């Protein structure tokens, strides 16, 4: 997206329940918006080794991908990825409706389509997911609700139901992030 200075995707897993989280580190100078998602590994969060690029299936993605949210559970990485069908010079123009796709992987490299997140509204982007009790909550930006943040709940990470048609906060905002 225009104006973003450091595009890319970074994944870190904490081994001490979130008390320490590694800082972001750009691993590929050739990474650009709408290009490819790089994968790197690190034994300590300081020294990173480039491992290649993610293989996203064409069946559920497009040329414009951003705001990946990754959640790890029981040996599976779940990714919710914002997809826009094409490259647009003006955001919000005809056809620039974003959607959220759910993908899974066991190695962060090869991904499988799990389906479009259906929230009964168009132009939903920028998801973030966290486990709450026995279920999960996703916060997302709904551009048809004045670019406000809404929430949805799931019991299985695949089927989501909006908590309310009202935003969680009355202010407009960009993609939410919870941790």
């Amino acid at each position: 997206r225009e104006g973003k200075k450091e595009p890319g995707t970074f994944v870190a897993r904490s081994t001490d329940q979130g008390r320490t989280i590694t800082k972001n580190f750009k691993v590929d100078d050739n990474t650009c918006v709408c290009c490819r998602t790089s994968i790197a590994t690190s034994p300590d969060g300081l020294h990173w080794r480039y491992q290649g690029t993610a293989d996203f299936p064409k069946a559920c993605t497009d040329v414009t991908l951003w705001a990946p949210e990754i959640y790890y559970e029981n040996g599976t990485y779940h990714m919710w990825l914002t997809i826009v069908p094409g490259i647009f010079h003006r955001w919000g123009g005809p056809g620039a409706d974003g959607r959220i796709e759910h993908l899974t992987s066991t190695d962060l490299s090869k991904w499988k389509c799990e389906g479009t997140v259906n929230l009964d509204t168009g132009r939903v982007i920028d998801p973030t997911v966290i486990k709450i009790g026995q279920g999960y909550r996703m916060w997302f930006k709904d551009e048809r609700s004045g670019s406000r943040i809404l929430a949805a709940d799931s019991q299985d990470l695949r089927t989501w139901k909006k908590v309310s048609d009202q935003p969680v906060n009355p202010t407009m905002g960009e993609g939410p992030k919870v941790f």
Side-chain angles (χ1 to χ4, degrees):
R1 295 186 324 198
E2 288 182 34
K4 298 292 182 185
K5 294 181 180 177
E6 292 293 327
T9 302
F10 306 91
V11 176
R13 283 182 55 196
S14 175
T15 58
D16 58 5
Q17 299 179 351
R19 286 188 286 278
T20 58
I21 301 172
T22 59
K23 65 181 181 177
N24 286 347
F25 184 84
K26 188 172 182 181
V27 296
D28 181 6
D29 286 333
N30 295 320
T31 300
C32 64
V33 176
C34 306
C35 294
R36 47 189 200 273
T37 300
S38 296
I39 301 164
T41 58
S42 170
D44 59 10
L46 298 173
H47 303 92
W48 292 84
R49 178 176 216 99
Y50 174 74
Q51 299 295 320
T53 57
D55 180 13
F56 295 125
K58 301 283 185 231
C60 62
T61 61
D62 210 303
V63 294
T64 304
L65 318 171
W66 77 69
E69 171 69 1
I70 298 178
Y71 180 82
Y72 178 80
E73 187 171 81
N74 299 326
T76 300
Y77 293 94
H78 295 264
M79 178 188 291
W80 294 271
L81 185 61
T82 299
I83 310 291
V84 178
I87 299 172
F88 296 87
H89 297 287
R90 183 183 268 312
W91 185 245
D97 290 350
R99 71 182 190 274
I100 300 169
E101 287 290 335
H102 178 207
L103 299 100
T104 57
S105 175
T106 57
D107 63 6
L108 291 172
S109 294
K110 183 122 178 93
W111 292 88
K112 179 177 137 189
C113 301
E114 295 291 342
T116 302
V117 176
N118 182 357
L119 296 167
D120 297 323
T121 182
R123 296 182 64 152
V124 292
I125 62 174
D126 303 344
T128 188
V129 174
I130 195 168
K131 187 170 190 167
I132 300 177
Q134 297 301 309
Y136 308 88
R137 176 152 294 175
M138 174 188 289
W139 288 266
F140 58 94
K141 180 178 178 180
D142 185 344
E143 295 190 311
R144 295 199 196 257
S145 292
S147 290
R148 289 178 173 78
I149 307 303
L150 277 75
D153 287 341
S154 174
Q155 292 300 307
D156 61 5
L157 295 172
R158 288 167 171 73
T159 306
W160 297 89
K161 182 175 181 191
K162 278 195 298 184
V163 173
S164 170
D165 286 328
Q166 299 301 311
V168 298
N169 186 304
T171 25
M172 295 183 340
E174 282 298 320
K177 194 66 181 164
V178 298
F179 54 92

